Amino acid sequence: GEDVEQSLFLSVREGDSSVINCTYTDSSSTYLYWYKQEPGAGLQLLTYIFSNMDMKQDQRLTVLLNKKDKHLSLRIADTQTGDSAIYFCAEFVTGGFKTIFGAGTRLFVKA
Amino acid sequence: DTEVTQTPKHLVMGMTNKKSLKCEQHMGHRAMYWYKQKAKKPPELMFVYSYEKLSINESVPSRFSPECPNSSLLNLHLHALQPEDSALYLCASSQEYSNSNEKLFFGSGTQLSVL
């Protein structure tokens, strides 16, 4: 079946690194994504990784993919108060022709 | 222009009203989507249009009626809604609707309240 799981909350201090974790179930997923949603707004695509890659870095963001364990993580370096938001992990299910979202991790950044 | 624009931002309607949500994008994307998002939940797919044709209807009740007048516009017509339909309705677009990479660009949504 198709399922994406994330922890619901993460609290960090400003300047620390944040690591948001996600597990997915569909081994045929070709792409995995991280979206960010700020209050009262839509989702914004932050980054994505192709399933044959282990790691992708984009400025303060690092995505790690462990395909064997179906585990995806997003690391945010030097976390700022502006990073406070909900982060959704998502996988594109090739058989179902659609993107499946996790429940979202609410990141709180304390000044 | 990398925006998806949705109007209105907020909508309050009674159960007997008819209203429409509108969505517009000028990125040349050929796939457009409607999602429903309840508070503290992930978005749930409702409809997908590809090249102005309905490709996916995720068993959505007929009181929701989508329309794609052209490649830049997507509407969602609402009629006889129930209070449980209150949610944030998100429009999204992507370059193509294909069996590989689906990078979604979302609008800010319409917050709908049904009284």
Side-chain angles (χ1 to χ4, degrees), chain B residues 33-59:
Chain B
Y33 309 72
W34 281 115
Y35 282 84
K36 173 182 177 180
Q37 187 180 25
K38 299 284 267 185
K40 299 189 194 311
K41 297 289 187 186
E44 295 174 7
L45 183 64
M46 298 174 73
F47 303 103
V48 181
Y49 274 83
S50 176
Y51 287 85
E52 299 153 53
K53 287 188 170 29
L54 185 64
S55 293
I56 287 187
N57 176 341
E58 289 282 294
S59 303

Side-chain angles (χ1 to χ4, degrees), chain B residues 11 18 20 25 40 44 47-48 50 52 72 98 103 114:
Chain B
L11 179 62
K18 283 186 183 181
S20 296
Q25 57 88 14
K40 299 189 194 311
E44 295 174 7
F47 303 103
V48 181
S50 176
E52 299 153 53
S72 299
S98 68
K103 291 186 285 184
V114 182

Side-chain angles (χ1 to χ4, degrees), chain A residues 27-101:
Chain A
S27 57
S28 68
S29 297
T30 51
Y31 286 89
L32 296 130
Y33 309 84
W34 285 103
Y35 285 85
K36 175 184 180 183
Q37 186 175 32
E38 297 185 52
L43 280 70
Q44 174 196 358
L45 178 62
L46 283 180
T47 186
Y48 63 96
I49 188 167
F50 188 47
S51 57
N52 69 352
M53 296 171 65
D54 298 323
M55 185 181 87
K56 181 178 180 182
Q57 187 148 4
D58 184 0
Q59 299 182 354
R60 291 191 297 123
L61 305 178
T62 303
V63 179
L64 294 177
L65 175 60
N66 181 328
K67 198 171 180 183
K68 174 175 166 289
D69 295 337
K70 299 192 181 72
H71 183 264
L72 183 73
S73 68
L74 174 69
R75 179 176 179 268
I76 305 173
D78 188 24
T79 313
Q80 302 298 305
T81 53
D83 295 323
S84 293
I86 302 174
Y87 291 81
F88 291 97
C89 171
E91 61 172 340
F92 183 76
V93 179
T94 51
F97 277 82
K98 64 181 181 180
T99 298
I100 304 294
F101 290 89

